[in-house]
């Protein structure tokens, strides 16, 4: 009798509800590009490429790292980083005070993982701190090819696939998941036919179709976050390629020198490397004047 009842539940779910995984719900987010302004261009203290671009130079006690910032491909994220680095943006301290000063000076790379990345930008030094505000991701999922990749063929996104199914079936607890195992397994197989873009969209990620987004490869500078649209001040620099992060983090720069320094920071361990200062060098052909 119990087996028959489950069959009826399955039939009702996929017939009466017309299979929630049968078609796409993805809608691109509205997006308006903006120009990046460097309020106070710094002088380069190390050799930089001739390419006209904005560069961030991390001065650390392990050495210097230079990164090209993607001002055309992630302008709002780049502007946030520049304004925090130069003390142009007000942020809230852990004690509730609102201040304007160079945010990254004196912070550490609090989380480093060998063969993965180095992470910084936390004022508390434990990964829980930020500037007191959050802003949206700045990613074009289609430019990353996420619309062409089936969820069932992408093991990197199994967690998000499980979340999408749980959200659709409104699973609230482990006990409930166990009691609805057959229903979940059926839904899971259907969801695997959808694109990764669709699955990530259903778990809260927003994607525009305007920018040219970059993959998270070795040397990428990207925003660290706690889930969709929770960016603040924390960032990471990849020591290796991390394809499992594509579409989950805004990549807003690419390292042009200092890979040996990244290796040193990894070897030193958590919170052993201090950011003395972040310089912003504007080498664009026609630097945007401060407003």
């Amino acid at each position: 009798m119990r087996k028959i009842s489950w069959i009826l539940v399955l039939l009702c779910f996929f017939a009466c509800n017309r299979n929630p995984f049968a078609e796409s719900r993805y809608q691109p987010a509205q997006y308006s590009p903006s120009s990046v302004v460097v309020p106070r261009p710094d002088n380069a203290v190390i050799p930089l490429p001739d390419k006209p671009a904005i560069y961030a130079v991390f001065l650390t006690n392990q050495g210097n790292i230079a990164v090209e910032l993607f001002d055309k491909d992630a302008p709002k994220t780049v502007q946030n980083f520049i304004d925090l680095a130069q003390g142009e943006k007000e942020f809230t301290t852990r004690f509730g005070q609102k201040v304007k000063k160079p945010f990254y000076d004196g912070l550490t790379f609090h989380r480093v993982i060998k063969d993965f990345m180095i992470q910084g930008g936390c004022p508390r030094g434990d990964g829980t701190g930020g500037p007191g505000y959050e802003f949206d991701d700045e990613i074009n999922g289609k430019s990353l090819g996420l619309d062409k990749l089936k969820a069932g063929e992408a093991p990197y996104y199994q967690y998000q696939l499980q979340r999408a199914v749980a959200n659709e079936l409104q699973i609230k607890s482990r006990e409930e998941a166990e009691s609805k195992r057959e229903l979940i397994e059926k839904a899971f197989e259907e969801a695997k036919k959808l694109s990764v873009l669709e699955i990530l969209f259903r778990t809260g990620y927003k994607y525009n179709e305007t920018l040219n987004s970059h993959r998270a490869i070795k040397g990428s500078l990207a925003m660290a976050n706690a889930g969709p649209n929770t960016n603040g001040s924390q960032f990471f620099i990849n020591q290796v390629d991390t394809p499992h992060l594509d579409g989950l983090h805004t990549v807003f720069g690419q390292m042009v020198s200092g890979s040996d320094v990244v290796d040193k920071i990894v070897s030193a361990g958590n919170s052993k490397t201090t950011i003395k200062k972040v310089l912003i060098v504007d080498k664009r052909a026609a630097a945007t004047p401060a407003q």
Side-chain angles (χ1 to χ4, degrees), residues 109-162:
F109 284 98
H110 62 276
R111 180 173 178 248
V112 304
I113 302 176
K114 181 177 174 57
D115 296 327
F116 185 15
M117 57 86 220
I118 59 174
Q119 184 171 331
C122 175
R124 295 185 178 182
D126 60 3
T128 65
Y133 61 82
E134 294 180 344
F135 63 95
D136 287 352
D137 301 318
E138 205 170 12
I139 308 172
N140 180 345
K142 286 190 173 181
S143 75
L144 297 174
L146 300 180
D147 59 321
K148 305 299 183 183
L149 183 61
K150 296 296 184 184
E153 300 170 357
Y156 295 143
Y157 301 99
Q158 290 303 294
Y159 171 72
Q160 286 79 20
L161 180 58
Q162 292 169 2

Side-chain angles (χ1 to χ4, degrees), residues 203-219:
T203 55
Y205 288 90
K206 298 178 182 178
Y207 298 108
N208 69 76
E209 295 185 1
T210 304
L211 301 172
N212 177 36
S213 292
H214 297 256
R215 295 186 179 278
I217 62 174
K218 179 179 180 179

Side-chain angles (χ1 to χ4, degrees), residues 1 11 14 24 27 54 59 85 90 105 118 131 156 171 184 190 198 235 237 245 249 262 278:
M1 185 65 182
L11 288 174
F14 288 103
S24 174
Q27 293 290 333
I54 305 174
L59 307 180
E90 185 177 80
D105 294 8
I118 59 174
Y156 295 143
I171 304 298
I184 291 172
E190 293 296 327
E198 175 70 21
F235 63 88
I237 301 174
L245 300 183
H249 298 266
V262 171
V278 179

Side-chain angles (χ1 to χ4, degrees), residues 26-224:
Y26 165 74
Q27 293 290 333
Q30 292 186 344
Y31 181 84
S32 299
S34 57
S35 298
V36 172
V37 174
V38 179
R40 293 178 291 101
D42 294 307
N43 294 320
V45 298
I46 61 173
L48 293 173
D50 293 331
K51 178 181 178 181
I54 305 174
Y55 296 89
V57 180
F58 295 82
L59 307 180
T60 83
N61 61 322
Q62 298 288 351
N64 304 321
I65 301 170
V67 176
E68 176 190 342
L69 299 178
F70 297 144
D71 62 301
K72 298 295 186 183
D73 302 331
K76 296 174 184 179
T77 306
V78 168
Q79 190 70 67
N80 177 77
F81 179 81
I82 290 173
D83 289 346
L84 285 176
Q86 296 198 320
E88 295 291 326
K89 190 165 190 173
E90 185 177 80
F91 63 90
T92 304
T93 70
R94 61 186 300 182
F95 304 108
Q97 300 170 314
K98 292 186 180 298
V99 298
K100 284 179 68 174
K101 65 178 183 177
F103 184 89
Y104 295 111
D105 294 8
L107 301 188
T108 66
F109 284 98
H110 62 276
R111 180 173 178 248
V112 304
I113 302 176
K114 181 177 174 57
D115 296 327
F116 185 15
M117 57 86 220
I118 59 174
Q119 184 171 331
C122 175
R124 295 185 178 182
D126 60 3
T128 65
Y133 61 82
E134 294 180 344
F135 63 95
D136 287 352
D137 301 318
E138 205 170 12
I139 308 172
N140 180 345
K142 286 190 173 181
S143 75
L144 297 174
L146 300 180
D147 59 321
K148 305 299 183 183
L149 183 61
K150 296 296 184 184
E153 300 170 357
Y156 295 143
Y157 301 99
Q158 290 303 294
Y159 171 72
Q160 286 79 20
L161 180 58
Q162 292 169 2
R163 278 192 57 202
V165 171
N167 290 346
E168 197 65 52
L169 302 184
Q170 300 182 347
I171 304 298
K172 304 297 185 183
S173 66
R174 183 184 296 272
E175 292 74 17
E176 189 175 1
E178 188 64 31
S179 69
K180 296 181 178 179
R181 177 176 295 183
E182 292 181 57
L183 180 61
I184 291 172
E185 290 176 353
K186 176 65 175 177
F188 193 77
E189 290 302 312
E190 293 296 327
K192 285 165 64 175
K193 300 173 185 177
L194 296 174
S195 70
V196 169
L197 182 70
E198 175 70 21
I199 292 300
L200 295 181
F201 175 76
R202 293 194 186 202
T203 55
Y205 288 90
K206 298 178 182 178
Y207 298 108
N208 69 76
E209 295 185 1
T210 304
L211 301 172
N212 177 36
S213 292
H214 297 256
R215 295 186 179 278
I217 62 174
K218 179 179 180 179
S220 290
L221 171 66
M223 292 302 295

